[in-house]
Amino acid sequence: MNRQPDQPDGPDRPDEPRPEGGTPTPDELRAQVERTRDELGQTIEALADKADVTAQAKEKAAHVADRIHETAAHAAQRVKDATPDPVLDRAGQAATAARANPKPLLIACCAALVVFLLARRGCRYR
């Protein structure tokens, strides 16, 4: 039994029921009220957490985002492992060149977009 120095020993301890089942003392009642308040506070916090749909949605979104990042990193690693070294070297060189001079890449992307839109428009009229 862990006895606190400020609590009495024996049947007059406020946190234990009286063995003879008599009327509780004011200290016992105070201790019981305090325990009940603590339990009620914990219950209210649990209910508030369950009722907070926004927080639950944010937590779920963060969990899904973490899983997506993990999956993407795993997929990227698998692709990198399966790609031959000469191809990786050329891709690295192309990325470096595109970062150094992005205008040709931007022009090529715009041209590809125009061709795609014209081809799509042409398919509608047939």
Side-chain angles (χ1 to χ4, degrees), residues 49-113:
D49 289 344
K50 285 185 179 183
D52 193 356
V53 177
T54 304
Q56 288 179 3
K58 286 180 181 178
E59 185 177 321
K60 182 71 171 178
H63 178 69
V64 169
D66 288 344
R67 288 189 60 199
I68 288 171
H69 289 300
E70 289 173 8
T71 303
H74 180 68
Q77 186 62 43
R78 288 184 64 187
V79 167
K80 186 177 177 183
D81 292 344
T83 306
D85 287 337
V87 174
L88 287 176
D89 293 340
R90 293 292 283 164
Q93 291 171 358
T96 303
R99 283 189 201 106
N101 192 8
K103 285 184 182 179
L105 182 61
L106 181 62
I107 292 170
C109 288
C110 289
L113 179 63

